[in-house]
Structures are given as C-alpha cells and as structure tokens.
Amino acid sequence: MAPSVEISIPNTTTSTSAKSFTLYNIALRLPLRSFTVLKRYSDFTGLHQALTSQAGSAPPAELPQKSWFTRTTSSPQLTEERRKGLEAYLRAINESEDGRWRSTSAWRGFLNLPSSAASANSSSAASSLHGSMMSPAGGGAPITDSAVWLDCHRDLKTQLHDARLHLQRRDQAETAQGQHESSAAAKRCLVKAGAMITALEQGLKTLVEAAESSWGSNKLGAGEVRRRRDLLSSARKEKEGLETLANSLATKNAPSSVANGGALATVQDKTSLFGGPNGSQQTIGSRSGRVLGAPLPETEHTRELDNNGVLQLQKQLMEDQDLSVEQLGKGISRLKELGVAINGELQVQNGTLKLLDEDAERLQGKVNVAKKRVGKIS
C-alpha cells in the first residue's frame, strides 16, 4: 500500500546568518495539503539517534557520511550528493513495511506531522486527517492545489452519498432506535459535507486569486473555474435537499408504534412525557408557560441531531446572527451618515434663510425712508 505522506527534498538553501550552513527543503504532501520543512544536517543526525533509541533498532537506511574537510556551502557537488542521500534516507523509512520508526514521536516531530498521520497507511487515519482539516474549527490551511481540490470534492460526494444511504436505512428501519441512529449518522455526514463545501469554496477562491496574480503552478482556466463552481452549486443543492429530507419525520411505522414497540415517538407521546395540555407537569400548577427544570421543546432542526450536530447547528446560527448584526450595523452607519448630511444641509439652509431675513430687513428700512421722503414732498 502506498504511503499517504509523500516525502522529497527537491532543493536546498543557504542560511543568511553569520555562520552560513545548508538547509534542506523537505517537501511533504499529505492527503489535503502540502508544506515544506527546513532542516540542517545536524537535525538529521539527531533524528537518526532518536529513531534508534525509540524504535530499538537503526532505521533501514544509513545517513550520508559527514565530510570533515569540505563544507556543503562551498561545494555544490557535495550538497547535491548529500541531498540525494538524505532524501533516500527519509523515503526508506516512509516506505518501509515496518512502521515502528514512523510511529515514534521523533519522526512526527521532525516532519511536523499530526498524530493521525503517523499510522497513515490505514484509511481511518486519512479520514481522521480529513476531518481535522476540513472542519471549521480545525484551522487547516486553505487548499492551494487543484488536484487536492478534486480529491476533496470526491470526498464531499462520498459524504453526500453516505447521508443518502443513512436516510434510506432510516425509512426502512422498524425500530425507533434504528431510525434515530440512521438519522444521527445522516446528520453527521451532512455537517461534514457543509464544512467541506465551505473549505472548497475558500480553496477555489485561493486558486482563482493565484491564477490572477500569476503565481503558483496550478493555474485554472476560466472554463475550469466555472465547471468547479457548478460542481459546488450542485453539491450545495443536493445537501440542502438531503437536510430537508433528514428533518422530515419518518411516520411509516408511527400508527403501530405502541403495538410493536417500534417507530418514532409521536407528538402525543412527547407531550404526555414532557408536559402539555394533558400532561402531568401541566397539572402541578395553575400557571402556564415554562416549567423550571423541564426540557426545552424540540424543533424540526434539532429533533434528530446528536450533541455534535446540535453544537454545529448552534455555531451556524451564531454565525448567521453575527452576519445579521454586521449588516444591521452597516445599515445604522448609513443612516448615521445620512443624518449627518441632512444636518449639514439644514445648517446651510438656515444660513441662507438668515441672509434672506437680513436682506428683507434692509429692504424694509429703505422702503420706510422712501415713504418719509414722499411724505415731505407731498
């Protein structure tokens, strides 16, 4: 089985410190991202000693020999030979059938690998890495590789397909437990699909910006960008349809729930259990309304969610509320600007009216003088 972590050392760089030394650029490609780690030869020596100590035996490959008379900073040939030797050393450990060296903390710390990638030869580790990077709280780096974007989209389609299968199993289940388990599994798949759609949208935006700024090796044409946007749009519509289907109640076995002990609990059962018009809690006091200690009523959005799903739904609602507050703040700012502009216009109009009043008084004075002169003449 091919390892899920691809390791290579494509090139080297020289440090800019007072005492120069060679840095080896270790390029790592994980299922959902790629990054580079800079290490010097002494770091490889420490890694070799730590692997030998933690695994109980030396790694399957030897380190390149240290040169005592020639420095890599002054010999490009020695630098190239050591680069190839160190790359072969890392690949021998990464591709070895014996994974005890890869499972050590020294190996993970040297390559900055997450703990789930240590046993990355299993599909469960890859899916765990997927979840940690695609979740909103995971803090993963945006997708900058077009091939990785397509891999993520395939995983998104898989999540949507699994959600549809779980909903079909819910409709076919004959017990309440089976229906609730299938509904919860479908909700989990839809939550993951929503996080993946968000990550894919951000990744596509990053790829488009890379193409416009003329950097990066994976440039997308305008037609390919449109195609990927259409893929995201269709996936979003499919997810919304599945969410609507998941929020609907499975009522196939509801009439016979009491007789055969299966199907979902009806609204009357929940009312009698939690209190209502005919419930026991309603008869405790004459007052109606919220009862201290009683559970809050379920809604169609939270009825079939587990704890993680409710938490994700709450975060989404809070984000929507924050967006609404931000839009309301923008509207209030515009109203404030409009009010300031109206105030300035009123001040200008008041100044104009004041000048007009002074002109009228001056004209009235002239009229009075003219009347007096006319009176003297007559």
Side-chain angles (χ1 to χ4, degrees):
M1 181 180 294
S4 63
V5 180
E6 300 179 6
I7 303 177
S8 63
I9 305 180
N11 50 39
T12 62
T13 56
T14 303
S15 68
T16 57
S17 59
K19 185 179 180 181
S20 62
F21 52 86
T22 302
L23 290 171
Y24 299 90
N25 303 325
I26 306 174
L28 295 100
R29 181 184 177 90
L30 276 69
L32 290 180
R33 62 167 179 165
S34 300
F35 59 95
T36 301
V37 179
L38 303 181
K39 298 292 181 180
R40 14 178 344 185
Y41 179 79
S42 58
D43 297 329
F44 283 90
T45 304
L47 171 66
H48 186 79
Q49 296 175 356
L51 291 178
T52 304
S53 175
Q54 295 181 13
S57 63
E62 293 292 335
L63 278 175
Q65 295 296 327
K66 182 176 180 62
S67 176
W68 299 99
F69 303 101
T70 308
R71 292 174 54 86
T72 54
T73 55
S74 59
S75 176
Q77 182 179 359
L78 178 60
T79 302
E80 180 63 18
E81 292 177 357
R82 183 172 291 180
R83 182 196 66 80
K84 292 180 180 179
L86 294 176
E87 184 179 54
Y89 174 80
L90 293 178
R91 285 183 173 178
I93 298 175
N94 187 51
E95 299 173 1
S96 175
E97 296 181 357
D98 190 353
R100 52 181 170 170
W101 296 285
R102 294 191 299 272
S103 62
T104 60
S105 59
W107 175 261
R108 297 194 300 269
F110 182 80
L111 297 178
N112 293 341
L113 291 175
S115 59
S116 60
S119 58
N121 290 330
S122 62
S123 59
S124 61
S127 61
S128 175
L129 184 61
H130 260 259
S132 64
M133 294 185 63
M134 298 304 295
S135 63
I143 302 173
T144 58
D145 192 332
S146 60
V148 173
W149 194 97
L150 293 176
D151 293 339
C152 295
H153 181 265
R154 282 193 291 269
D155 292 340
L156 169 62
K157 299 296 291 183
T158 301
Q159 293 293 337
L160 294 175
H161 178 70
D162 292 344
R164 190 177 296 276
L165 289 180
H166 288 306
L167 291 176
Q168 292 177 358
R169 292 172 185 171
R170 183 198 68 174
D171 295 337
Q172 296 172 1
E174 297 180 355
T175 62
Q177 181 180 2
Q179 291 181 357
H180 284 298
E181 289 178 354
S182 299
S183 297
K187 290 286 187 178
R188 286 193 294 269
C189 293
L190 291 175
V191 169
K192 293 179 181 178
M196 286 184 175
I197 289 176
T198 302
L200 288 172
E201 289 177 344
Q202 295 177 353
L204 183 59
K205 181 179 179 181
T206 302
L207 292 173
V208 172
E209 291 177 353
E212 292 176 352
S213 59
S214 301
W215 61 266
S217 58
N218 298 317
K219 297 181 180 180
L220 298 179
E224 179 64 15
V225 171
R226 286 194 299 269
R227 186 183 75 87
R228 297 194 180 195
R229 285 175 178 168
D230 292 340
L231 290 176
L232 285 178
S233 178
S234 61
R236 189 182 300 105
K237 291 180 180 178
E238 183 178 359
K239 171 183 170 292
E240 292 174 355
L242 290 176
E243 285 181 341
T244 303
L245 185 62
N247 292 329
S248 63
L249 288 175
T251 58
K252 181 181 67 173
N253 296 327
S256 59
S257 60
V258 179
N260 56 17
L264 291 171
T266 61
V267 177
Q268 291 79 7
D269 295 336
K270 293 183 178 181
T271 303
S272 62
L273 179 61
F274 297 129
N278 299 322
S280 59
Q281 293 184 1
Q282 186 68 24
T283 60
I284 296 177
S286 59
R287 295 180 300 172
S288 62
R290 184 174 180 179
V291 180
L292 182 63
L296 295 176
E298 293 280 355
T299 65
E300 62 177 4
H301 298 290
T302 62
R303 185 176 293 109
E304 297 176 356
L305 287 178
D306 57 0
N307 293 336
N308 294 331
V310 172
L311 179 60
Q312 185 67 27
L313 179 61
Q314 183 181 8
K315 290 181 179 179
Q316 183 177 358
L317 292 176
M318 292 177 65
E319 291 177 358
D320 294 340
Q321 291 175 357
D322 292 341
L323 181 60
S324 300
V325 171
E326 183 179 356
Q327 293 177 353
L328 180 61
K330 293 180 179 179
I332 294 175
S333 299
R334 289 194 294 269
L335 290 176
K336 179 181 178 181
E337 295 175 357
L338 183 60
V340 172
I342 292 175
N343 184 35
E345 183 66 24
L346 289 176
Q347 291 179 357
V348 173
Q349 295 294 336
N350 289 333
T352 304
L353 292 175
K354 185 177 180 181
L355 294 176
L356 182 61
D357 187 40
E358 292 176 354
D359 293 339
E361 291 179 356
R362 190 182 307 108
L363 181 60
Q364 183 64 35
K366 292 180 179 181
V367 170
N368 293 336
V369 171
K371 287 182 177 179
K372 289 180 181 180
R373 291 178 179 177
V374 170
K376 291 180 180 180
I377 294 174
S378 60

